[in-house]
Amino acid sequence: MRIMEGYSVIFRAGDRYSWSSGSQSETEVISAGAVHFPTGMVVAADPAWSINPLEESDAVAAKVPTGSYPVSLLVSVWRQAPASGAVPRSKVCASKVHVSDDPVTHWRPAFPSGSDQSVALGFAVDSGTASFFDFSAKDWLTARQENDDWWDEVSDVLRRDLYVLIEDQATGANAIIYECGMGDGVYEVWLGLNADGQVAEILVDLELLSHGTGAV
């Protein structure tokens, strides 16, 4: 699935897709909680970036008004026949930060602030997971990464729930970490703009649905 003008319509529950295996999946939209953005600098990144330290010039997807904004996940679910006893399998297809209720009139790629705006922001994933957080939370998250037990605990939750909301009780900083349906790769960030050119939505396309054989 690639970004297009009608992406706001595509990010919805109840759409069915077929796959080369002959199976079908159906989309669901789930709420993953809200992220606090005290500086308004929205980062979309692999939460295990310690080998590639984040810099503001290449990590901040957008600058939005300060505040807390809800995050939702588009999930593709494969359901088996009840007689099979199989547990439904789910994978995250896309993620979105909802900044305002303004209708999205057009989409454009997010460009890193330090770029010449010729290449869209794509963040590398080596942990099979992605995240949203405010740039001011970078140091707190870097410190958390140094604790192997912490990452093991996060991974355990992700295997069960597809996402986890973590928070620093001392400062109130938080982050949402979620599973990438296609695993490791490089994923593009897109901005949904309102009629005045202001950011209304920030979306990450995890490219899973583009590997299907089409909508049913």
Side-chain angles (χ1 to χ4, degrees), residues 115-160:
S115 78
D116 60 3
Q117 297 200 352
S118 63
V119 179
L121 172 63
F123 62 92
V125 167
D126 295 314
S127 68
T129 62
S131 63
F132 287 119
F133 57 90
D134 188 89
F135 189 74
S136 64
K138 184 186 74 166
D139 291 343
W140 162 62
L141 287 169
T142 299
R144 298 296 296 270
Q145 291 177 37
E146 296 173 356
N147 184 335
D148 291 337
D149 291 339
W150 171 76
W151 185 249
D152 288 341
E153 292 171 2
V154 168
S155 298
D156 287 342
V157 175
L158 289 174
R159 279 190 287 270
R160 183 185 69 240

Side-chain angles (χ1 to χ4, degrees), residues 14-108:
D15 289 342
R16 295 186 177 184
Y17 290 83
S18 58
W19 303 84
S20 58
S21 63
S23 62
Q24 291 186 1
S25 67
E26 183 173 343
T27 56
E28 294 182 353
V29 176
I30 62 175
S31 172
V35 176
H36 309 314
F37 295 103
T39 70
M41 292 191 290
V42 180
V43 175
D46 184 334
W49 71 79
S50 55
I51 59 173
N52 297 302
L54 294 179
E55 300 296 337
E56 179 180 341
S57 61
D58 60 17
V60 175
K63 182 71 165 63
V64 299
T66 59
S68 297
Y69 300 112
V71 173
S72 56
L73 305 176
L74 182 68
V75 177
S76 193
V77 181
W78 287 260
R79 294 183 174 87
Q80 303 295 328
S84 70
V87 176
R89 182 165 59 101
S90 303
K91 288 183 175 293
V92 181
C93 308
S95 61
K96 181 170 66 177
V97 179
H98 184 80
V99 179
S100 80
D101 292 332
D102 294 342
V104 172
T105 61
H106 62 288
W107 292 88
R108 73 162 178 83

